[in-house]
Amino acid sequence: MKETDIKDINYFHKVVDCQYACPAHTPVPEYIRMISAGRFDDAYMINWESNVFPGVLGRTCDRPCEPACRRGRVEDQPVAICRLKRVAADHKGDIKHRLPDIPKQKNGKKIALIGGGPASLTVARDLMPLGYHVDLFDDQYKGGGFMRSQIPSFRLPEEVLDEEVNYILDMGIRTHFKHKVNSLKEMLTKDYDAIFIGTGAPRARDLPKLEGRAEADANIHLGIDWLANVAFEHTKEIGEKVLVLGGGNTAMDCCRTARRIGGKDVRIVVRSPQADMKASPWEIKDAQGEGIPMFENHTPKAFVCEKGKLVGMLFELVTAEYDENGRRTLVPTGEADIFMECDDVLMALGQMNAFPWIERDLGIEFNDWDMPEVDKTTFQTSLAHVFVGGDAAWGPENVITAVAHGHQAAISIDKYCRGQDTKDRPNPGTTLISQKMGFHDWLYNAPVSSDKRHVVEHVDTNLALTSMKIEVEKGFSLEQGLNETLRCLNCDVQTVFEKDRCIECDACEDVCPTNCINFVENEEEDLLRQHLKMPADNLDQALLVSGELKTKRVMVKDENVCLHCGLCAERCPTGAWDMRKFLLNEAKAGR
Amino acid sequence: MSYIKSTFRHPSAKVNSLGFAKTAYEGALSTLCAGCGHDSISAAIIQSFFEMNIEPHKIAKISGIGCSSKTPTYFLGKAHGFNSVHGRMPSVSTGANMANKDLQYIGISGDGDTASIGMGQFAHVVRRNLNMIYIVMNNGCYGLTKGQDSATADIGSAGKKGVENQFAAIDLCQLALQLGAGYVARSFSGDKKQLIPLIKGAIEHKGFAFIDVISPCVTFNNVPTSTKGYEYVRDHLDATGTIDFVPERQELKIIHPEGTSKEVKLHDGSKLILKKNTHDYDLSSKREAMGIIETVREQKKILTGLIYLHEDPQDTHKKINSVDKPLNSLSQGEVCPGNAVLDALNEGFR
Ligand SMILES: Cc1cc2nc3c(=O)[nH]c(=O)nc-3n(C[C@H](O)[C@H](O)[C@H](O)COP(=O)(O)OP(=O)(O)OC[C@H]3O[C@@H](n4cnc5c(N)ncnc54)[C@H](O)[C@@H]3O)c2cc1C
Ligand SMILES: Cc1ncc(C[n+]2csc(CCOP(=O)(O)OP(=O)(O)O)c2C)c(N)n1
Ligand code: SF4
Ligand code: SF4
Ligand code: SF4
Ligand SMILES: [Mg+2]
């Protein structure tokens, strides 16, 4: 193999598994160490810079970082990264003075944001400090988009959302709430230098053709519309017997909400096997904890009405069969159909984008799925000054993805307004700094805690079910949080090897707890991977390969389960190994 | 202060045939200087015993005084151990072996511990053919007392202080050969590929097995002027041949071209496969082994590998005709049969 080029920032970036997996590339271990040091404000600000909504995300993030976390490969559970973010948010002081200054003197460019969700708010956050004038249009009465209308307050208290939305709105954004944009053409006639579309995926799927659909309409609700109505307190109750159709996170929020506003016998019914449900495992667990049973392999057959009112639903039983390509078909078992009584049905069958308000003759190309063509890196449409991001771009994702899109779109908008090429992307800022402080002393906590993942406590379920406003999760106590921080392996503290200093004494190879380090004859990568002390069979993880040593061998380190414990550097007599902190800050508009 | 070794190990680390993970063979984290050759030897010992599937509590590790003699703390933490007096490892091992011959004995010593203060003890444990492994971690100096030249330092070699040694070096392999050791080998701490099979062979060997392992002292004797530093040793190695250890019953996977390798069977049916290079001589000939060491030395090289192997079934216990059962398992009545027996014995001398 060729010697690894550690100057390529992607190499060390990939080693920090959590940060790499985070769509906004939040420097996770950096903020975890800040929490560990009791520097909650600093920890919060690192998050705020990257993901804009630390308090919201510390409760609701989809956490793609956690399945990626190295700790999960060393023992069974990853670091509770998401809940640590909440620790920073819960324990910070007043950080208003640390928010960016907004220039009084504007730069003369006007931007319109359509939709007030996380994507648009992120664009605003990044452009306001650069002197842009920003107008925001949203059909709801307050900002936050789906974070407000969909995520129920027992998962995300309104104060937390208000605080973080207001940090942005208070930068001087001109808001136009309760303002539905019905024509892009009309928007284009206003003199905006750029328009960002962050309208989400606001249309719910229905079962329009199912028998009884029309007759039972009064008691059939589209999940996302119903959740919004509950959030804005237009809907305050539901029948005692509720069937929730669907197996995604929306279904989980629907059933848990129903349990709080009158539903006693609330059931989730899915067409597929439970194992194929899309909801996050923790959401399923929380719903089950609230006494909500799940019925799998039940395909809706009919809404059953009596005297013009819904009384129940009929389901056909199916079983999942998979062909050799793993494609699933649901085959009826032939058993008798199942009837379930109900007062109301909530349909959480997925969402779609809908752009009836974008005229098709404006120069914006639409693809075969009737979605606008959006460039994956610039978020630009074929109409140069119209940009799209968040769920509106490629369908429903999550808050952190919307934020990541917002950052990138802001870069593009800024470049566009300056007359620069939007395709020319700025590099992230990186530093690589030695952590050596003295004999056996490092600037980070190198020993590895063997604690198991700490569990966040919930309020008593009976109490929780009495109100929409009681937050179910209590968050980590300070002590639990601090102990959890020590589970982090500091994957950003990189093992840097200087071959010219190495005397090949094997000390590092011998001491390494997880046998990452090898001194071997060089080969092609696939062979090398098999011939290490521990086969390097996680192909997502790189091998750090040195240049040729005096004995003609090379040092090969498998990054896969390195604990970043620093023992290799500690036991190296010549300082050939050093532990250096690699800090990567994603590029931002104007910087 | 980060001097704590995590308990996490590689998730795909395997257990041996006894069901033990390698951790069962590890010891405390070393406090020797970073980069000390002795640590590599400890790692080779751990690997060997792990792979040989020996229960850790059936091993006794005994040492004298010196950095080398400290190492038993850093391996086989679950074995029996005795860190004895300077140069006295052989007699303490002999005593222990007399009491319980069923344990696997591994003695760890240094060049100071063996070739200076313990020389007399060394000589006698060899000639008695005590069933043990005797490893000298040879750095040509007294590491623990700050690097004074030892009796294995070569003439003209100079350590960190820069003063050339004036006295002739003792070659411990030649000495062991001369005194009748059945298994004599030399290796280098930086060559585990060779060292591990040599240790495994020594474990299987019945009788006295001696391995002199050159093991650089990074702190006091790893300068270009020293003949026991990493650089010099690497540049002057001359192996008797590569070596593979094949335990009993295991099928041979590597087939060497005819004539280039030979098999040496050990008493239990396991084999050492030697792939010869330039030095083709009769391994069981003491005279040839002596000669080859001398020849290679004249070429200013260091001979490593298995140098001599001749199993002598008469170990100390056989020579003194001790009972089959380990002494520590005999009852009070068996060890001390009482007055009547003593009287009868005395009667026999009248
Ligand atoms: C029930 C439910 C629960 C969820 N829970 C989570 C969770 O726990 N964690 C997570 O990360 N994600 C969650 N999501 C997904 C997440 O809310 C979205 O992915 C995210 O909010 C998308 O952000 P966005 O900025 O693209 O748009 P949105 O947040 O959808 O905001 C778009 C806004 O634009 C408004 N709008 C639409 N069209 C127009 C128009 N023509 N004129 C004016 N305004 C308009 C909408 O009303 C809305 O306010 C959940 C989604 C649902 C449905
Ligand atoms: C009876 C006695 N004499 C002298 C000493 C001092 N002493 C301690 S270690 C040592 C030499 C050790 O050298 P070696 O066996 O080569 O071990 P190394 O430290 O080099 O591994 C000496 C002379 C002692 N501890 N006890
Ligand atoms: S151990 Fe820490 S730094 Fe490493 S991936 Fe997990 S959270 Fe990130
Ligand atoms: S930091 Fe060094 S010693 Fe620790 S696990 Fe990683 S490679 Fe091994
Ligand atoms: S003084 Fe020499 S022999 Fe002793 S631990 Fe240090 S390097 Fe090893
Ligand atoms: Mg010594």
Side-chain angles (χ1 to χ4, degrees):
Chain A
M1 273 181 86
K2 278 231 292 280
E3 181 174 356
T4 305
D5 177 13
I6 60 164
K7 293 220 170 64
D8 173 0
I9 53 173
N10 245 318
Y11 184 79
F12 285 146
H13 186 16
K14 266 196 80 191
V15 174
V16 197
D17 291 310
C18 49
Q19 181 175 18
Y20 193 72
C22 173
H25 301 315
T26 305
V28 174
E30 180 76 353
Y31 83 70
I32 291 183
R33 281 189 299 271
M34 296 287 176
I35 297 173
S36 201
R39 291 167 59 184
F40 304 114
D41 289 7
D42 293 331
Y44 185 84
M45 291 313 292
I46 291 170
N47 273 291
W48 190 81
E49 287 290 342
S50 302
N51 54 53
V52 194
F53 303 100
V56 172
L57 289 166
R59 292 165 165 86
T60 64
C61 190
D62 255 1
R63 11 172 162 157
C65 53
E66 292 192 17
C69 170
R70 176 164 281 110
R71 182 94 187 189
R73 297 198 294 276
V74 177
E75 56 150 326
D76 32 315
Q77 292 280 346
V79 175
I81 302 171
C82 181
R83 281 1 183 206
L84 284 175
K85 198 188 305 297
R86 176 173 169 184
V87 170
D90 285 357
H91 293 275
K92 70 173 189 310
D94 184 359
I95 51 89
K96 285 215 188 68
H97 62 284
R98 297 182 63 165
L99 299 176
D101 293 331
I102 307 301
K104 297 250 157 19
Q105 184 65 46
K106 298 293 170 190
N107 68 4
K109 302 282 182 187
K110 277 180 69 182
I111 314 294
L113 309 176
I114 309 178
S120 290
L121 290 172
T122 302
V123 175
R125 206 287 305 263
D126 286 359
L127 293 184
M128 285 305 289
L130 303 180
Y132 285 87
H133 173 97
V134 174
D135 277 356
L136 182 141
F137 300 87
D138 190 286
D139 55 3
Q140 307 289 357
Y141 82 103
K142 259 177 145 183
F146 270 21
M147 296 189 293
R148 188 178 300 280
S149 64
Q150 299 297 315
I151 303 181
S153 47
F154 58 82
R155 285 207 289 129
L156 173 61
E158 200 177 2
E159 316 81 76
V160 176
L161 179 62
D162 283 346
E163 176 186 334
E164 292 183 339
V165 169
N166 288 341
Y167 286 153
I168 299 166
L169 297 184
D170 292 348
M171 289 176 170
I173 289 158
R174 227 173 57 209
T175 56
H176 307 264
F177 289 125
K178 291 196 262 178
H179 182 128
K180 186 166 177 114
V181 174
N182 288 314
S183 162
L184 184 62
K185 192 180 222 157
E186 191 194 319
M187 288 292 290
L188 290 174
T189 62
K190 302 180 184 173
D191 57 344
Y192 289 112
D193 294 283
I195 295 179
F196 176 79
I197 298 173
T199 47
R203 181 180 289 175
R205 283 183 208 280
D206 200 339
L207 295 171
K209 298 201 185 92
L210 206 69
E211 189 188 323
R213 173 69 183 87
E215 196 183 353
D217 187 57
N219 293 93
I220 298 175
H221 317 279
L222 296 176
I224 57 172
D225 295 349
W226 182 79
L227 283 171
N229 283 331
V230 175
F232 296 121
E233 299 185 354
H234 306 313
T235 296
K236 294 195 170 122
E237 54 184 31
I238 195 160
E240 285 195 1
K241 291 190 178 137
V242 181
L243 298 181
V244 178
L245 308 184
N249 286 338
T250 305
M252 301 305 127
D253 281 338
C254 283
C255 64
R256 295 177 71 193
T257 299
R259 280 290 273 135
R260 285 163 171 78
I261 61 168
K264 294 221 161 68
D265 176 0
V266 179
R267 303 171 176 199
I268 290 180
V269 191
V270 283
R271 328 166 34 221
S272 56
Q274 195 168 329
D276 291 0
M277 277 169 55
K278 287 216 185 78
S280 322
W282 56 89
E283 304 252 351
I284 297 177
K285 203 167 146 237
D286 288 350
Q288 284 171 331
E290 295 181 355
I292 296 160
M294 294 180 195
F295 296 85
E296 57 176 357
N297 298 325
H298 281 54
T299 301
K301 204 165 177 189
F303 296 100
V304 182
C305 295
E306 269 173 27
K307 296 184 202 133
K309 189 184 174 300
L310 179 74
V311 292
M313 275 191 79
L314 212 53
F315 296 95
E316 181 173 56
L317 291 177
V318 295
T319 156
E321 281 176 13
Y322 299 86
D323 68 13
E324 64 268 23
N325 302 323
R327 284 252 309 268
R328 189 189 73 189
T329 30
L330 297 174
V331 187
T333 62
E335 292 164 82
D337 291 343
I338 300 274
F339 174 75
M340 286 191 196
E341 267 183 61
C342 68
D343 302 312
D344 287 284
V345 172
L346 297 172
M347 283 199 281
L349 302 167
Q351 303 150 244
M352 294 173 294
N353 298 75
F355 299 103
W357 56 278
I358 301 184
E359 294 79 355
R360 303 299 142 106
D361 58 355
L362 304 175
I364 297 180
E365 262 175 56
F366 273 70
N367 60 24
D368 295 348
W369 299 274
D370 206 28
M371 294 271 284
E373 271 298 322
V374 182
D375 185 282
K376 292 259 185 228
T377 28
T378 65
F379 296 83
Q380 209 163 10
T381 66
S382 49
L383 189 58
H385 69 303
V386 176
F387 300 79
V388 186
D391 287 357
W394 299 287
E397 286 281 350
N398 48 39
V399 174
I400 188 67
T401 305
V403 167
H405 289 180
H407 284 312
Q408 293 304 319
I411 291 173
S412 301
I413 293 171
D414 183 46
K415 280 189 167 277
Y416 174 79
C417 290
R418 292 173 197 263
Q420 295 168 354
D421 182 4
T422 52
K423 287 234 186 297
D424 175 22
R425 309 305 288 180
N427 284 325
T430 59
T431 52
L432 187 65
I433 296 171
S434 176
Q435 300 296 290
K436 189 140 187 85
M437 225 167 42
F439 203 55
H440 299 336
D441 254 332
W442 301 99
L443 281 166
Y444 72 110
N445 184 68
V448 177
S449 153
S450 45
D451 278 14
K452 291 276 171 211
R453 181 176 168 120
H454 295 267
V455 181
V456 175
E457 264 186 65
H458 286 196
V459 296
D460 175 67
T461 307
N462 291 328
L463 177 66
L465 290 177
T466 58
S467 163
M468 285 294 292
K469 304 250 185 245
I470 298 175
E471 187 175 11
V472 172
E473 286 197 9
K474 289 185 180 169
F476 278 136
S477 70
L478 198 54
E479 194 193 344
Q480 275 181 315
L482 293 177
N483 286 332
E484 185 66 26
T485 61
L486 298 181
R487 293 184 69 239
C488 173
L489 300 173
N490 302 288
C491 301
D492 59 341
V493 181
Q494 306 284 350
T495 54
V496 178
F497 182 73
E498 264 181 63
K499 77 161 170 82
D500 293 337
R501 287 171 172 258
C502 177
I503 57 167
E504 300 179 66
C505 69
D506 297 350
C508 54
E509 189 181 23
D510 292 338
V511 82
C512 176
T514 44
N515 289 130
C516 309
I517 300 174
N518 301 265
F519 288 85
V520 287
E521 261 117 65
N522 204 350
E523 292 175 283
E524 287 308 314
E525 176 163 358
D526 46 342
L527 292 173
L528 205 47
R529 280 184 175 271
Q530 291 163 33
H531 294 161
L532 301 184
K533 271 204 231 132
M534 288 293 165
D537 39 24
N538 184 347
L539 300 182
D540 292 340
Q541 293 285 324
L543 300 181
L544 176 70
V545 183
S546 76
E548 196 174 271
L549 297 162
K550 281 205 198 78
T551 57
K552 308 275 180 221
R553 299 180 300 172
V554 285
M555 188 292 302
V556 180
K557 181 197 160 208
D558 180 6
E559 299 283 7
N560 186 22
V561 289
C562 169
L563 304 170
H564 299 264
C565 64
L567 282 185
C568 47
E570 189 93 58
R571 295 303 288 160
C572 179
T574 61
W577 286 104
D578 191 20
M579 304 305 290
R580 297 194 193 150
K581 184 173 85 178
F582 174 77
L583 186 60
L584 178 142
N585 284 306
E586 193 47 292
K588 282 243 193 66
R591 261 181 287 154
Chain B
M1 168 78 187
S2 69
Y3 224 35
I4 298 168
K5 182 162 171 171
S6 167
T7 51
F8 290 127
R9 293 295 177 270
H10 197 286
S12 48
K14 299 226 164 46
V15 295
N16 63 14
S17 72
L18 297 173
F20 286 119
K22 208 169 106 185
T23 39
Y25 295 83
E26 293 176 1
L29 191 55
S30 171
T31 57
L32 300 185
C33 304
C36 176
H38 300 354
D39 280 337
S40 295
I41 304 173
S42 298
I45 292 171
I46 292 169
Q47 192 68 27
S48 305
F49 278 92
F50 167 70
E51 288 177 6
M52 290 293 282
N53 301 299
I54 296 175
E55 289 163 284
H57 68 277
K58 298 244 170 95
I59 306 164
K61 41 179 192 175
I62 297 174
S63 62
I65 295 293
C67 298
S68 35
S69 293
K70 282 174 72 179
T71 60
T73 307
Y74 317 132
F75 60 77
L76 298 172
K78 296 194 162 64
H80 304 273
F82 199 99
N83 187 184
S84 72
V85 191
H86 203 14
R88 271 57 184 168
M89 179 272 278
S91 44
V92 177
S93 301
T94 308
N97 195 317
M98 285 303 106
N100 185 359
K101 62 181 188 171
D102 281 356
L103 297 179
Q104 172 74 58
Y105 288 90
I106 175 162
I108 302 292
S109 183
D111 43 328
D113 198 61
T114 289
S116 293
I117 194 169
M119 186 60 125
Q121 300 236 332
F122 174 67
H124 293 288
V125 77
V126 183
R127 58 180 278 280
R128 285 176 185 148
N129 195 25
L130 190 71
N131 186 17
M132 74 178 295
I133 305 162
Y134 192 120
I135 291 181
V136 171
M137 300 182 173
N138 186 353
N139 53 16
C141 70
Y142 300 167
L144 192 71
T145 54
K146 302 221 170 335
Q148 299 83 351
D149 289 338
S150 77
T152 64
D154 292 308
I155 290 192
S157 176
K160 194 177 164 191
K161 284 193 210 94
V163 182
E164 281 185 19
N165 171 46
Q166 302 299 328
F167 305 106
I170 294 174
D171 186 314
L172 290 170
C173 285
Q174 282 185 321
L175 200 58
L177 268 171
Q178 198 270 317
L179 293 164
Y183 185 105
V184 178
R186 174 140 48 218
S187 192
F188 169 46
S189 65
D191 185 2
K192 288 202 194 68
K193 251 196 208 151
Q194 183 194 59
L195 180 55
I196 291 172
L198 285 176
I199 296 174
K200 289 176 172 177
I203 292 173
E204 275 316 319
H205 177 78
K206 204 151 168 61
F208 190 81
F210 179 72
I211 312 177
D212 175 27
V213 191
I214 299 168
S215 173
C217 167
V218 272
T219 304
F220 298 112
N221 204 12
N222 189 38
V223 283
T225 49
S226 160
T227 59
K228 294 219 165 35
Y230 282 108
E231 214 176 309
Y232 182 93
V233 176
R234 278 217 170 89
D235 288 347
H236 294 81
L237 286 178
D238 185 4
T240 55
T242 58
I243 180 165
D244 276 315
F245 179 81
V246 184
E248 188 197 358
R249 283 194 300 273
Q250 186 179 307
E251 279 302 309
L252 245 187
K253 288 208 193 77
I254 325 137
I255 298 160
H256 297 296
E258 187 116 20
T260 61
S261 70
K262 65 170 140 194
E263 261 182 41
V264 188
K265 267 212 169 65
L266 298 170
H267 73 280
D268 70 335
S270 53
K271 300 172 216 134
L272 282 170
I273 310 293
L274 299 162
K275 190 163 176 261
K276 290 281 176 182
N277 52 20
T278 43
H279 310 292
D280 200 5
Y281 67 95
D282 179 5
L283 260 190
S284 63
S285 159
K286 206 178 199 175
R287 188 168 46 77
E288 288 192 35
M290 281 285 193
I292 195 95
I293 298 177
E294 217 41 66
T295 312
V296 174
R297 195 198 333 275
E298 280 164 12
Q299 296 162 356
K300 299 244 175 298
K301 294 233 164 173
I302 304 161
L303 184 73
T304 63
L306 186 61
I307 295 171
Y308 175 76
L309 177 63
H310 181 77
E311 254 177 326
D312 171 6
Q314 296 285 312
D315 79 336
T316 315
H317 283 279
K318 289 262 162 48
K319 288 184 203 290
I320 65 171
N321 195 24
S322 66
V323 290
D324 282 344
K325 269 170 94 181
L327 297 187
N328 71 344
S329 66
L330 297 181
S331 67
Q332 176 75 19
E334 285 169 303
V335 183
C336 187
N339 260 343
V341 178
L342 184 63
D343 288 346
L345 200 68
N346 283 337
E347 231 13 78
F349 294 123
R350 274 183 222 279

